[in-house]
Coordinates of all heavy atoms in Angstrom, one line a residue:
Chain Z
E729 N -19.4 38.3 5.6 CA -19.7 39.4 4.7 C -18.4 40.3 4.6 O -17.7 40.4 5.6 CB -20.9 40.1 5.1 CG -22.1 39.2 5.2 CD -23.4 40.0 5.5 OE1 -23.3 41.0 6.1 OE2 -24.5 39.5 5.0
Y730 N -18.2 41.0 3.5 CA -17.1 41.8 3.4 C -17.5 43.2 3.0 O -18.5 43.4 2.3 CB -16.1 41.3 2.3 CG -15.6 39.9 2.6 CD1 -16.2 38.8 2.2 CD2 -14.4 39.8 3.4 CE1 -15.7 37.5 2.5 CE2 -13.9 38.5 3.7 CZ -14.6 37.4 3.2 OH -14.1 36.2 3.5
S731 N -16.7 44.2 3.4 CA -16.9 45.5 2.8 C -15.6 46.0 2.2 O -14.6 45.7 2.7 CB -17.4 46.5 3.9 OG -16.4 46.8 4.7
I732 N -15.8 46.7 1.1 CA -14.6 47.2 0.3 C -14.7 48.7 0.3 O -15.7 49.3 -0.1 CB -14.6 46.6 -1.1 CG1 -14.6 45.1 -1.1 CG2 -13.4 47.2 -1.9 CD1 -15.8 44.4 -1.5
Q733 N -13.6 49.3 0.8 CA -13.5 50.8 0.8 C -12.2 51.3 0.2 O -11.3 50.5 -0.1 CB -13.6 51.2 2.3 CG -15.0 51.2 2.8 CD -15.0 51.1 4.4 OE1 -14.7 50.1 5.0 NE2 -15.4 52.2 5.0
F734 N -12.2 52.5 -0.1 CA -11.1 53.1 -0.8 C -10.6 54.4 0.0 O -11.4 55.0 0.6 CB -11.5 53.5 -2.2 CG -11.9 52.3 -3.1 CD1 -13.2 51.9 -3.1 CD2 -10.9 51.6 -3.8 CE1 -13.6 50.8 -3.8 CE2 -11.3 50.5 -4.5 CZ -12.6 50.1 -4.5
D735 N -9.3 54.6 -0.1 CA -8.9 55.9 0.5 C -8.6 56.9 -0.6 O -8.7 56.6 -1.8 CB -7.7 55.7 1.5 CG -6.4 55.3 0.7 OD1 -6.5 55.2 -0.5 OD2 -5.4 55.0 1.4
A736 N -8.2 58.1 -0.2 CA -8.0 59.2 -1.1 C -6.8 58.9 -2.1 O -6.8 59.4 -3.2 CB -7.8 60.5 -0.4
S737 N -5.8 58.2 -1.6 CA -4.7 57.9 -2.5 C -4.8 56.7 -3.3 O -3.8 56.2 -3.8 CB -3.4 57.9 -1.6 OG -3.6 57.1 -0.5
G738 N -6.0 56.2 -3.5 CA -6.3 55.1 -4.4 C -5.9 53.7 -4.0 O -5.7 52.9 -4.8
N739 N -5.9 53.5 -2.6 CA -5.7 52.2 -2.1 C -7.1 51.6 -1.8 O -8.0 52.3 -1.4 CB -4.9 52.2 -0.9 CG -3.5 52.6 -1.2 OD1 -2.9 52.2 -2.1 ND2 -3.0 53.6 -0.4
Y740 N -7.2 50.3 -2.0 CA -8.4 49.6 -1.5 C -8.2 48.8 -0.3 O -7.1 48.4 0.0 CB -9.0 48.7 -2.6 CG -8.1 47.5 -2.9 CD1 -8.2 46.3 -2.2 CD2 -7.2 47.5 -4.0 CE1 -7.4 45.2 -2.4 CE2 -6.3 46.4 -4.2 CZ -6.4 45.3 -3.5 OH -5.7 44.2 -3.7
F741 N -9.3 48.7 0.5 CA -9.2 47.9 1.8 C -10.4 47.0 1.8 O -11.5 47.5 1.6 CB -9.3 48.9 3.0 CG -8.1 49.8 3.0 CD1 -8.2 51.1 2.4 CD2 -6.9 49.5 3.6 CE1 -7.2 52.0 2.4 CE2 -5.9 50.4 3.6 CZ -6.0 51.6 3.0
V742 N -10.2 45.7 2.0 CA -11.3 44.8 2.2 C -11.4 44.4 3.6 O -10.4 43.9 4.2 CB -11.0 43.6 1.3 CG1 -12.2 42.6 1.4 CG2 -10.9 44.0 -0.2
Y743 N -12.5 44.6 4.2 CA -12.7 44.3 5.6 C -13.7 43.1 5.7 O -14.7 43.1 5.0 CB -13.3 45.5 6.4 CG -12.3 46.6 6.5 CD1 -12.4 47.7 5.7 CD2 -11.3 46.6 7.5 CE1 -11.5 48.8 5.8 CE2 -10.4 47.6 7.6 CZ -10.5 48.7 6.7 OH -9.6 49.8 6.8
N744 N -13.5 42.3 6.7 CA -14.4 41.3 7.1 C -15.4 41.9 8.0 O -15.1 42.4 9.1 CB -13.7 40.1 7.8 CG -14.6 39.0 8.1 OD1 -15.8 39.2 8.5 ND2 -14.2 37.7 7.9
K745 N -16.7 41.9 7.6 CA -17.7 42.7 8.4 C -18.0 42.0 9.7 O -18.5 42.6 10.7 CB -19.0 42.8 7.6 CG -19.0 44.1 6.7 CD -20.2 44.2 5.9 CE -21.4 44.8 6.6 NZ -22.5 45.0 5.6
Q746 N -17.8 40.6 9.7 CA -18.1 39.9 11.0 C -17.2 40.2 12.1 O -17.6 40.4 13.2 CB -18.1 38.4 10.7 CG -19.5 37.8 10.5 CD -20.2 38.3 9.3 OE1 -19.6 38.4 8.2 NE2 -21.5 38.6 9.5
N747 N -15.9 40.2 11.8 CA -14.9 40.4 12.9 C -14.1 41.7 12.7 O -13.3 42.0 13.5 CB -14.0 39.2 13.0 CG -13.4 38.8 11.7 OD1 -13.2 39.7 10.8 ND2 -13.0 37.5 11.5
G748 N -14.4 42.4 11.6 CA -13.8 43.7 11.5 C -12.4 43.7 11.1 O -11.7 44.8 11.0
T749 N -11.8 42.5 10.8 CA -10.4 42.5 10.4 C -10.2 42.9 9.0 O -11.0 42.7 8.1 CB -9.8 41.1 10.6 OG1 -10.6 40.2 9.9 CG2 -9.8 40.7 12.1
L750 N -9.0 43.4 8.7 CA -8.6 43.8 7.4 C -8.2 42.5 6.6 O -7.3 41.8 7.1 CB -7.4 44.8 7.4 CG -6.9 45.3 6.0 CD1 -8.0 46.1 5.3 CD2 -5.7 46.1 6.2
V751 N -8.8 42.2 5.5 CA -8.6 40.9 4.8 C -7.4 41.2 3.9 O -6.4 40.4 3.8 CB -9.8 40.4 4.1 CG1 -9.5 39.2 3.3 CG2 -10.9 40.2 5.1
T752 N -7.5 42.2 3.1 CA -6.4 42.5 2.1 C -6.5 44.0 1.8 O -7.6 44.6 2.0 CB -6.6 41.6 0.9 OG1 -5.5 42.0 0.0 CG2 -7.9 41.8 0.2
S753 N -5.4 44.5 1.3 CA -5.4 45.9 0.8 C -4.3 46.1 -0.2 O -3.5 45.2 -0.4 CB -5.2 46.8 2.0 OG -3.9 46.6 2.5
G754 N -4.4 47.1 -0.9 CA -3.3 47.4 -1.9 C -3.7 48.6 -2.8 O -4.8 49.2 -2.6
A755 N -2.8 48.9 -3.7 CA -3.1 50.0 -4.6 C -4.1 49.5 -5.6 O -4.0 48.4 -6.2 CB -1.9 50.4 -5.3
Y756 N -5.2 50.3 -5.8 CA -6.2 49.9 -6.7 C -5.9 50.3 -8.1 O -5.7 51.5 -8.4 CB -7.6 50.5 -6.3 CG -8.7 50.1 -7.3 CD1 -9.1 48.8 -7.5 CD2 -9.4 51.1 -8.0 CE1 -10.1 48.5 -8.4 CE2 -10.4 50.8 -8.9 CZ -10.7 49.5 -9.1 OH -11.7 49.2 -10.0
V757 N -5.8 49.4 -9.0 CA -5.6 49.7 -10.5 C -7.0 49.6 -11.1 O -7.7 48.6 -11.1 CB -4.7 48.7 -11.1 CG1 -4.5 49.0 -12.6 CG2 -3.4 48.6 -10.4
S758 N -7.4 50.7 -11.7 CA -8.8 50.8 -12.2 C -9.0 49.7 -13.2 O -8.3 49.4 -14.1 CB -9.0 52.2 -12.9 OG -10.3 52.2 -13.3
G759 N -10.1 49.0 -12.9 CA -10.6 47.9 -13.8 C -10.0 46.5 -13.5 O -10.6 45.5 -14.0
S760 N -8.9 46.5 -12.8 CA -8.4 45.1 -12.5 C -9.1 44.5 -11.3 O -9.4 45.2 -10.3 CB -6.9 45.2 -12.3 OG -6.6 45.9 -11.1
P761 N -9.3 43.2 -11.3 CA -10.1 42.6 -10.2 C -9.3 42.5 -8.9 O -8.1 42.5 -8.9 CB -10.4 41.2 -10.8 CG -9.3 41.0 -11.8 CD -8.9 42.3 -12.3
I762 N -10.1 42.4 -7.8 CA -9.5 42.2 -6.5 C -9.9 40.8 -6.0 O -11.1 40.5 -6.1 CB -10.0 43.3 -5.5 CG1 -9.7 44.7 -6.0 CG2 -9.4 43.0 -4.1 CD1 -10.3 45.8 -5.2
S763 N -9.0 40.0 -5.5 CA -9.3 38.7 -5.1 C -9.0 38.5 -3.6 O -8.0 39.0 -3.1 CB -8.5 37.7 -5.9 OG -8.9 37.7 -7.2
F764 N -9.9 37.8 -2.9 CA -9.7 37.4 -1.5 C -10.6 36.3 -1.2 O -11.7 36.2 -1.6 CB -9.9 38.6 -0.6 CG -11.2 39.3 -0.8 CD1 -12.3 38.9 -0.1 CD2 -11.4 40.3 -1.8 CE1 -13.6 39.5 -0.3 CE2 -12.6 40.9 -2.0 CZ -13.7 40.5 -1.2
D765 N -10.2 35.4 -0.3 CA -11.0 34.3 0.3 C -11.9 33.7 -0.8 O -13.1 33.4 -0.5 CB -11.8 34.9 1.4 CG -11.0 35.3 2.6 OD1 -9.8 35.0 2.6 OD2 -11.6 35.8 3.6
G766 N -11.4 33.4 -1.9 CA -12.2 32.7 -2.9 C -13.2 33.5 -3.6 O -14.0 33.0 -4.4
I767 N -13.1 34.8 -3.4 CA -14.0 35.8 -4.1 C -13.2 36.7 -5.0 O -12.1 37.1 -4.7 CB -14.8 36.6 -3.1 CG1 -15.7 35.7 -2.2 CG2 -15.6 37.7 -3.7 CD1 -16.4 36.5 -1.1
E768 N -13.8 37.0 -6.2 CA -13.1 38.0 -7.0 C -14.1 39.0 -7.3 O -15.3 38.7 -7.8 CB -12.6 37.3 -8.3 CG -11.9 38.3 -9.2 CD -11.4 37.6 -10.5 OE1 -10.3 37.0 -10.5 OE2 -12.1 37.6 -11.5
I769 N -13.7 40.3 -7.1 CA -14.7 41.4 -7.4 C -14.0 42.2 -8.5 O -12.8 42.4 -8.6 CB -15.0 42.2 -6.2 CG1 -13.7 42.8 -5.6 CG2 -15.7 41.5 -5.2 CD1 -14.0 44.0 -4.7

Side-chain angles (χ1 to χ4, degrees):
Chain Z
E729 302 188 332
Y730 299 90
S731 73
I732 299 106
Q733 281 160 288
F734 298 88
D735 69 3
S737 43
N739 294 311
Y740 66 84
F741 300 91
V742 179
Y743 294 99
N744 183 319
K745 275 175 86 175
Q746 256 65 42
N747 51 29
T749 54
L750 181 66
V751 179
T752 178
S753 64
Y756 177 62
V757 182
S758 182
S760 68
I762 302 169
S763 298
F764 53 90
D765 291 358
I767 294 174
E768 185 179 271
I769 58 164

